Amino acid sequence: QGGLKGVESENPNAETINFLLEMADEYEKKGDERFRRDAFRKAAGALKQQSVKILTFAEAIAIDNIGKSSAEKIEEFARTGRVKKLQNLQNDPMVKLQGLFTKIYGVGPSLADRWIRQGYRTLDDIREKAHLTANQQIGLDHYDELNTRIPRKEVEALGAHVVRAARAIDRDVQLIIGGSYRRGADSSGDIDIIITRQGMSSTGQLIDFLDELVLKLTNEGFLTVALAAHRKSHVDDTDGNKWQGCCVLPKDEYPGDDGSEVDDANTSDNDGSHERPNNKSNKDGWRPIWRRIDLLLVPASQLGAALIYFTGNDIFNRSIRLLAQKKGMRLNQRGLYRDVLRGKGNVKIAEGELIEGEYERKIFRHLGVHWREPHERWC
Ligand code: DCP
Ligand code: MG
Ligand code: MN
């Protein structure tokens, strides 16, 4: 328990998938060799689609998106219940340290590297010696909570809370929980909420609504902090159409009457090598957990493209964008476009004519690919 990263445990390959994701995690921490991280994540995604247990190299390599190295590791795992390479990575003190530091929200591999070279070895070193941005400070202050996955039921309760607040302001807004939740994960790293409204063709009209919603949710204590927008945001649009921050679910809205889900939520997938200062129970035994939340404004005319984008996963997005490109089209979070004009050095001159933005299924159709349900989009 705890280790299963959003994989439904009844999947016959759940343990193998989990192991592949652990491999990916190690390469994520390592920083270099990102292609290996992606390869293991792709393999894990591919296994999620299988209905029988995969045990051998031959079975594994026959599956799309599973490469030679992953297939070897899958067989080793099936044979021996462990994989040498994973153990080596997990025991490498430098990789461990990279992992400890990059799990601070807002800290990437290169900064973690620099800190290690500067001789920092613990979170206390960071706390005392490093220069932190506001975001990184929040990440450090709420290290354990923000590294604890959110059980699906809590995602639902958080979503329901936001929906109620949103409807009280404007009963015609539509809210959809995207991200890993929409893909059916049984736990999520954060909650991604797509907000749209019929008849609103630009985000401009929705921004006033978002301001009001954020104010309301902040005043009542649901939203705890706003995180400054990243400069290198993966959302390729102007700011103001999204809000990123943290939230807490009010005590009486936690799912489960005995609060057991709250305890499950505390089963963190990190290595446990550090203390958990922020999860101390208060007097009545209840402990609020800070969660990451993204609110995303989307004009109704772009809902389909935005749904594809914010449902992911990121690897699925990359491959479907690439496919669009190969077919002379361009897919982004706003729509599918044709005839993208490119100049010298492949520089885009014009966006091209919009083919479709409103409906997910139509975008798939125009791309000439079979419809894939959100839960089939793990790679
Ligand atoms: N996304 C993307 N490329 C990125 C980051 C995100 O295409 N570099 C898209 C796909 C993701 C979606 O945005 O599914 C939401 O991003 P999250 O980081 O919230 O990722 P998930 O919701 O998929 O997973 P998690 O459970 O970790 O939040
Ligand atoms: Mg998410
Ligand atoms: Mn997110």
Side-chain angles (χ1 to χ4, degrees), residues 178-181 183 188-192 294 310:
S180 53
Y181 174 85
R183 298 197 308 275
S188 296
D190 70 353
I191 174 167
D192 303 288
D294 289 335
F310 290 113

Side-chain angles (χ1 to χ4, degrees), residues 153-221:
K153 282 198 170 161
E154 188 181 331
V155 174
E156 276 160 4
L158 290 163
H161 188 102
V162 176
V163 168
R164 277 194 300 276
R167 290 272 161 75
I169 297 169
D170 181 342
R171 54 193 179 86
D172 293 329
V173 291
Q174 192 191 349
L175 291 87
I176 301 162
I177 308 178
S180 53
Y181 174 85
R182 189 163 184 254
R183 298 197 308 275
D186 57 15
S187 71
S188 296
D190 70 353
I191 174 167
D192 303 288
I193 302 182
I194 295 156
I195 302 172
T196 189
R197 190 184 194 284
Q198 265 314 317
M200 280 205 180
S201 50
S202 74
T203 40
Q205 298 165 282
L206 271 167
I207 287 175
D208 289 342
F209 166 81
L210 183 64
D211 286 345
E212 206 178 328
L213 179 64
V214 166
L215 189 67
K216 179 182 167 77
L217 288 171
T218 303
N219 286 341
E220 65 179 52

Side-chain angles (χ1 to χ4, degrees), residues 10-271:
E10 63 272 22
N11 186 307
N13 293 295
E15 284 184 359
T16 317
I17 291 164
N18 194 40
F19 142 73
L20 290 166
L21 292 174
E22 279 182 48
M23 287 293 293
D25 272 3
E26 294 307 317
Y27 283 109
E28 166 93 33
K29 291 179 208 165
K30 228 166 156 276
D32 53 355
E33 302 187 90
R34 281 294 169 92
F35 70 96
R36 292 193 202 281
R37 174 200 64 181
D38 291 349
F40 284 113
R41 287 190 59 199
K42 267 190 191 169
L47 269 194
K48 277 183 197 179
Q49 323 275 14
Q50 304 300 313
S51 50
V52 294
K53 194 164 171 141
I54 303 302
L55 296 168
T56 67
F57 178 86
E59 288 167 348
I61 198 81
I63 297 166
D64 271 359
N65 282 318
I66 297 186
K68 193 165 155 285
S69 172
S70 298
E72 281 168 6
K73 305 277 185 306
I74 289 169
E75 176 162 319
E76 184 183 345
F77 184 72
R79 251 184 228 282
T80 67
R82 53 155 194 71
V83 168
K84 262 244 163 65
K85 182 71 196 174
L86 178 61
Q87 291 179 325
N88 290 342
L89 285 167
Q90 285 176 335
N91 291 329
D92 182 331
M94 284 307 126
V95 178
K96 273 190 188 168
L97 213 44
Q98 277 265 339
L100 183 71
F101 291 164
T102 53
K103 283 196 308 202
I104 301 171
Y105 180 83
V107 175
S110 63
L111 179 56
D113 244 354
R114 191 158 79 230
W115 283 344
I116 292 170
R117 277 186 273 110
Q118 284 173 314
Y120 303 161
R121 292 293 178 267
T122 64
L123 292 182
D124 279 335
D125 285 343
I126 303 303
R127 210 167 275 130
E128 287 154 20
K129 298 169 196 157
H131 291 284
L132 298 174
T133 65
N135 283 3
Q136 290 160 354
Q137 189 64 54
I138 292 161
L140 189 57
D141 290 345
H142 297 273
Y143 187 85
D144 290 319
E145 296 157 89
L146 297 180
N147 282 299
T148 303
R149 294 185 67 79
I150 316 172
R152 190 172 179 83
K153 282 198 170 161
E154 188 181 331
V155 174
E156 276 160 4
L158 290 163
H161 188 102
V162 176
V163 168
R164 277 194 300 276
R167 290 272 161 75
I169 297 169
D170 181 342
R171 54 193 179 86
D172 293 329
V173 291
Q174 192 191 349
L175 291 87
I176 301 162
I177 308 178
S180 53
Y181 174 85
R182 189 163 184 254
R183 298 197 308 275
D186 57 15
S187 71
S188 296
D190 70 353
I191 174 167
D192 303 288
I193 302 182
I194 295 156
I195 302 172
T196 189
R197 190 184 194 284
Q198 265 314 317
M200 280 205 180
S201 50
S202 74
T203 40
Q205 298 165 282
L206 271 167
I207 287 175
D208 289 342
F209 166 81
L210 183 64
D211 286 345
E212 206 178 328
L213 179 64
V214 166
L215 189 67
K216 179 182 167 77
L217 288 171
T218 303
N219 286 341
E220 65 179 52
F222 178 84
L223 295 177
T224 52
V225 73
L227 292 161
H230 308 274
R231 229 170 309 158
K232 277 196 300 179
S233 166
H234 61 80
V235 178
D236 52 10
D237 206 342
T238 48
D239 273 343
N241 60 352
K242 67 167 191 289
W243 189 91
Q244 299 184 294
C246 297
C247 63
V248 290
L249 192 64
K251 181 184 174 186
D252 57 353
E253 288 172 35
Y254 265 92
D257 22 26
D258 59 350
S260 57
E261 258 107 5
V262 182
D263 286 325
D264 286 350
N266 268 338
T267 317
S268 160
D269 66 339
N270 59 38
D271 57 21

